[in-house]
Amino acid sequence: MSRSRQPPLVTGISPNEGIPWTKVTIRGENLGTGPTDLIGLTICGHNCLLTAEWMSASKIVCRVGQAKNDKGDIIVTTKSGGKGTSTVSFKLLKPEKIGILDQSAVWVDEMNYYDMRTDRNKGIPPLSLRPANPLGIEIEKSKFSQKDLEMLFHGMSADFTSENFSAAWYLIENHSNTSFEQLKMAVTNLKRQANKKSEGSLAYVKGGLSTFFEAQDALSAIHQKLEADGTEKVEGSMTQKLENVLNRASNTADTLFQEVLGRKDKADSTRNALNVLQRFKFLFNLPLNIERNIQKGDYDVVINDYEKAKSLFGKTEVQVFKKYYAEVETRIEALRELLLDKLLETPSTLHDQKRYIRYLSDLHAPGDPAWQCIGAQHKWILQLMHNCKEGYVKDLKGSPGLHSPMLDLDNDTRPSVLGHLSQTASLKRGSSFQSGRDDTWRYKTPHRVAFVEKLTKLVLSQLPNFWKLWISYVNGSLFSETAEKSGQIERSKNVRQRQNDFKKMIQEVMHSLVKLTRGALLPLTIRDGEAKQYGGWEVKCELSGQWLAHAVQTVRLTHESLTALEIPNDLLQTIQDLILDLRVRCVMVTLQHTAEEIKRLAEKEDWVVDNEGLTSLPCQFEQCIVRSLQSLKGVLECKPGEASVFQQPKTQEEVCQLSINIMQVFIYCLEQLSTKPDADIDTTHLSVDVSSPDLFGSIHEDFSLTSEQRLLIVLSNCCYLERHTFLNIAEHFEKHNFQGIEKITEVSMASLKELDQRLFENYIELKADPIVGSLEPGIYAGYFDWKDCLPPTGVRNYLKEALVNIIAVHAEVFTISKELVPRVLSKVIEAVSEELSRLMQCVSSFSKNGALQARLEICALRDTVAVYLTPESKSSFKQALEALPQLSSGADKKLLEELLNKFKSSMHLQLTCFQAASSTMMKT
């Protein structure tokens, strides 16, 4: 056979899988020139030519037959092209077996039923109730004997139509070798069968819709045929007779079964009533279930049941349903009231508040329960704050002590704001400075400080939940999704309207916190009208700077915690103002207490002098100020957002004045010590530094100090203060950012210099006046006359006595402070030289011997104290010598030199103190 065309090629089939007799569409190329050209068509090896319908050279429609292979090619054979090929394949699925009890839209041959138990086809009675394979998978018989299975499952059966059916027996008998994956597939088949049964007959009607249409078309064709023939209109026709017979049968049946049908209708009515009760038992039992669930606290169950009942019976017109639904509404209204009471009850957690608000939202409670809760929480917080204040005030009035309730600060993790008052390494010059108060005072928290701590703790424990409740109210997270969708627009309007109201609530809480704190710590900063509401402490003693610093730290931590909640800064500005006022007050009180503490330093003076002529008093003074400034370190530091303590000019001026006052108080202490009578000085504790030269002699034997010695000690301390201490204190002030340091230093130095000069003049007056007063009587002792005197033989005794007195002053000053020696001796010598010059100028005339005697004594004094001469004393000596007649002969000059040498030689030991060169700048 000749071929003039290409062989057929199948490139597609739709669908590509199905059960036998599935209609498929084959597409490809060269599938024939016509129906007669198509001579062969096989699918999976089965000849399908009888059902094939040639459509075009690229399309053929046919039905798949019963094939042996599960999957195979589609082969088309034509006269013009011969046997073709296929690029696609078709998968043949096994048909679903239909049991006797299964519904079907088409007729099933009952006599050719497939028996699963014998695994073969056999004829069975049409009325057999044997069901189909329930698992829908291939049966694999086991090797277990029937007797063994009967013994293992005594009294049971593997027949799933039996009442004693055993699933385990059935699986062992039919699926012992079945894989787990196939068993999972069996579970899926069982579920599918159950779903089919639940769908009812409608599903089978839909599945066999084409069959019903075919039946309808057949009946219509018969009816039209009868009408066309006119057969049914003829009297006595077959159709007419059949109609008559059917009518008689119907009447006879009605007569026979009327009573039975009546009882059936009554039974149906009763059954329908019971069905209604059973069907709507949810509504009839709902009131009682609501009460039980409310008692158990299962509000979610109540709300779900109510929503279900509302959707089913909310708009019913049935009176019975209306009556029961009204009972449900009554109990739901009671539940709304109960939940609202629980919501407004205080104290309560944020979780409970959100839960009750969500319940009330789901129950469509009237009003705005969330806002009511916010208002109740606000009032409760304010009430807690005022109750806290009243409790502490009452406790204070009923307690004799000023420091209870007690709080142990040792357990506090924050560093203590109190300075250590024991002896330090820098106080080596004298005894340690100890506080006169008992150290236990540091561990007793005053009522007002304890109240502020309790108040801030209370606010920090309540306000975060209050703020979070508002945030949840704003973003709608308080409400369920259903309530959120239904009331979103209305709630957004409420939020906008109530935003200002909530801001006022927060401001009121902040206002109360600040006012209560001010009433406790800064009572003078609240108005008289608010004193009763926020004050009422009635305490006489003011808090110390250390406790104020502690309070500053407490309020700062409160501000930081509130800032972390993202509360707007404008609402927290009052707390910032409070912190600034507390810091300023703390600085003021600390400086005032420092002044009082320094005032008591005079009582601590031990008069023990070191090598430099100093006592421990200047060092104690500096340490006292350093401790005070150190206690203010945290207060003076500016935290983020805080202003400087010295921002206001008024504060700068007050702090500057207090600092000056501290310095002047200490200067006054020095003045008191210098002028204190001898009887007021306690000398029982005095001792001498072993490193100091013991030049006191008998003075140290009884450890007594004269007023002149105290003057010297104070003068020595003044010098040290001027050169070191005041400058160090100025550096400490500058380190802590104090303002007006130049003014503080200038005023303090001026006061110190004034005291130093006054004390110095007093000492010079005490020491120089006796020496000066003894000159004139000593010169003219024994009726000495400058006009008539013997030739000089040496320096007279009055000058030696004056030198001895000057040496005594030198010894006294040197014992206290070497640095004061040049300053004191230069002033004493100035006074002596001035008096000597005056006396020489008062002499009317000198004899030769008198002039020589006067020149000898003046030169002896001048040469002896030359190292301590000042311009003023040199001028006085010069004037004294100019008042004398000049020496004319060399013999006189030689005699003068010999006598001077003799004087210096004889008093060499006494004059040694005047021979040391001074390296210290002499003060005038």
Side-chain angles (χ1 to χ4, degrees), residues 119-164:
D119 197 18
R120 66 180 184 269
N121 293 329
K122 72 176 185 176
I124 60 174
L127 300 179
S128 175
L129 300 180
R130 187 184 306 279
N133 179 11
L135 300 183
I137 59 176
E138 185 177 356
I139 296 177
E140 298 178 2
K141 290 295 183 177
S142 66
K143 298 179 181 179
F144 294 97
S145 64
Q146 194 70 19
K147 293 182 178 180
D148 293 340
L149 292 175
E150 289 177 356
M151 292 178 63
L152 182 63
F153 300 97
H154 182 69
M156 308 300 290
S157 173
D159 185 1
F160 41 76
T161 62
S162 173
E163 294 181 357
N164 299 326

Side-chain angles (χ1 to χ4, degrees), residues 285-305:
N285 296 333
L286 187 57
L288 181 60
N289 290 336
I290 288 177
E291 291 181 356
R292 290 176 178 174
N293 289 325
I294 289 176
Q295 292 177 357
K296 293 189 294 183
D298 295 336
Y299 303 121
D300 290 314
V301 177
V302 175
I303 293 172
N304 292 334
D305 291 346

Side-chain angles (χ1 to χ4, degrees), residues 122 154 198 340 344 461 486 490 534 556 561 566 648:
K122 72 176 185 176
H154 182 69
S198 64
L340 185 60
L344 302 181
S461 64
S486 62
E490 181 181 357
Y534 299 106
R556 274 176 169 171
S561 300
E566 298 182 357
Q648 298 295 332

Side-chain angles (χ1 to χ4, degrees), residues 52-65:
E53 182 180 359
W54 186 89
M55 307 297 293
S56 66
S58 61
K59 179 179 178 181
I60 297 175
V61 178
C62 71
R63 289 185 180 273
V64 180

